[in-house]
Amino acid sequence: MNKILIANWKANPATLAEAKALFALENKKNIIICPPAIYIPTLHATRYTLHDLGAQDVFWEAGAHTGQTSVAMLKQFGVTHVLVGHSERRALGETDEMINKKLKATLTAGMIPILLIGEQEKNDAVRQDILIDQLTRDLEGVSAEDATKIHYTFEPAWAISTTSGNKAESLDNIIAGVEMMKDILQKSFKLQASSFKMLYGASVNGENTQEILSRPELSGAVVGGASLRAEEFKKMVEITAKL
Ligand code: PGA
């Protein structure tokens, strides 16, 4: 499998037993499972070692920070990737300055940040400004070498499947958004566009995986709701493995 599927379980499933069952299903390379942090040590201890473990969040320091989890704690349990800047965390008050610190801490620890970028409300006229603003602030002080390690995910928050009836952004707009992001990155870091790994997230499911991930501009997808539906996710893995 060359393209990447990242499963963002969010605050699901309700029990460790269900998490273990889901985790065991798709044991393939280039699948990154991001469970709730409390399940990570147990899942890490299972024999399923082909797919990678990701975290949904991290804090940039250890010490007197009640409720937080440091990079070193995650690394100890085999975490290789960290979601940074998810819109659900931004909506809770996470600022670009905090995202920037999380991104740098993750990179310094040798893990790969999956940086999520995109607008909260649909408004094509301001999309480019929002992408420029988020990327510039989130990547402040990140070296060009580190910038090429990040998985950049275009994820328009309004298209996330949690609200029933939501659909993925149109394919043309997904590609246009990803191209905008690449252009911004290329100019900031003075590197070729092909140096950056671009992904899409929001309402990717069994029906649209083929269409979306066939596009050469995309290296993968972040999947929320559908990654918890075992049969559907299995189908998505099979489709992706053939691309
Ligand atoms: P979704 O969620 O696939 O359910 O739209 C994606 C995400 O929030 O990362």
Side-chain angles (χ1 to χ4, degrees), residues 8 10 86 88 116 155 159-162 201-204 222-226:
N8 175 13
K10 309 189 180 182
H86 193 282
E88 287 156 14
L116 298 127
E155 188 167 271
I160 290 176
S161 76
T162 320
S203 292
V204 180
V222 174
V223 185

Side-chain angles (χ1 to χ4, degrees), residues 219-233:
S219 299
V222 174
V223 185
S227 72
L228 295 160
R229 299 190 289 269
E231 279 309 306
E232 187 170 348
F233 194 62

Side-chain angles (χ1 to χ4, degrees), residues 196-213:
F196 304 102
K197 216 178 255 297
M198 311 306 294
L199 292 82
Y200 169 74
S203 292
V204 180
N205 55 40
E207 298 299 308
N208 59 19
T209 297
Q210 172 86 36
E211 190 194 18
I212 295 173
L213 286 190

